[in-house]
Amino acid sequence: MGGWAEFAAAFALFLLSHAVPARPGVKARLTGALGQKGYLAAYVAVSLALLAWLIVAAGRAPFVALWPPAPWQPWLPNLVMPVVCLLIAGALGAPNPLSFGGAGDARFDPARPGIVGVTRHPLPVALALWALAHAVANPDLAHLLLFGGFAGFALAGTVVIDRRNRRRMGRDWDRLAARTATLPLAALVSGRWRPSGPPPLWRPGLGLLLWTGLLAAHRPVIGVSPLPF
């Protein structure tokens, strides 16, 4: 199988692998069968395998140019990816009952939300920024569908999660989300949130390490250098 058929199959399975486990009943059964750690390990392994297949399938799809490449386009991912990596590093292990996977986290302090003050959904926003920057840098149909789909999936997910949490939390939602916003830094600009202090040094250090690793692995894994020169 190859061409558009492979790309469509990879994309469908990738979306299915994320949509089905998000259903509370399915997730509860999988967690009960595998345990919490086993479920997370299986989820990550399947997601990475399908993501790798999806990226390879996009490269195999027929090339359909949408607009001529410009010298500035490769710069965009290089400027955005450090921000993406900092968001990911800031979100890892941070208490966040307002986004996916963090329900009922009693460690969260709504008066000092930390990374959640930057954006209520740091991981989906990081995914959307990654996808949009790479869509601009790869102006062909297959990659626009790939990265545009990722961006749409991530941004739609923030809306779905907010609606679900509003129903589930009731009045607690207003209290917990008072100093947050989905749009990055919107709570800071509006004056609803002010940082209580700098983040621990290991978080930006981890973000820098992640960015360096992705930069170094891009050519061996993807086959193309991400550098604009």
Side-chain angles (χ1 to χ4, degrees):
M1 181 171 61
W4 290 115
E6 180 185 11
F7 179 70
F11 215 147
L13 286 175
F14 182 85
L15 293 177
L16 191 64
S17 72
H18 286 72
V20 172
R23 300 181 67 85
V26 175
K27 183 177 180 180
R29 287 193 293 271
L30 291 174
T31 304
L34 302 174
Q36 183 66 26
K37 291 183 178 180
Y39 166 77
L40 290 175
Y43 185 82
V44 170
V46 171
S47 296
L48 290 177
L50 289 174
L51 176 60
W53 180 30
L54 181 54
I55 292 172
V56 170
R60 291 174 178 166
F63 182 81
V64 180
L66 298 177
W67 58 80
W72 62 269
Q73 289 171 344
W75 281 100
L76 188 59
N78 283 275
L79 294 174
V80 170
M81 284 308 296
V83 177
V84 169
C85 293
L86 287 174
L87 283 173
I88 294 173
L92 291 177
N96 182 6
L98 302 173
S99 197
F100 69 92
D105 196 328
R107 299 174 300 154
F108 181 72
D109 181 0
R112 303 175 63 184
I115 187 65
V116 187
V118 177
T119 172
R120 192 156 54 235
H121 303 286
L123 293 180
V125 167
L127 175 61
L129 289 174
W130 166 81
L132 291 172
H134 281 75
V136 173
N138 294 273
D140 66 276
L141 181 58
H143 285 95
L144 183 64
L145 291 172
L146 170 67
F147 293 119
F150 275 131
F153 183 74
L155 295 176
T158 65
V159 176
V160 171
I161 293 168
D162 279 351
R163 288 178 178 173
R164 182 185 300 161
N165 283 340
R166 284 178 186 272
R167 291 194 304 267
R168 181 176 57 83
M169 294 179 180
R171 293 182 178 179
D172 274 348
W173 163 266
D174 294 328
R175 178 179 62 86
L176 295 173
R179 298 175 185 267
T180 72
T182 296
L183 187 66
L185 301 180
L188 177 67
V189 173
S190 67
R192 291 185 289 116
W193 170 69
R194 289 290 182 269
S196 57
L201 287 178
W202 70 266
R203 288 196 179 275
L206 179 61
L208 179 62
L209 183 63
L210 176 61
W211 174 65
T212 304
L214 291 174
L215 199 63
H218 201 283
R219 181 189 286 274
V221 174
I222 306 300
V224 178
S225 172
L227 298 176
F229 42 82

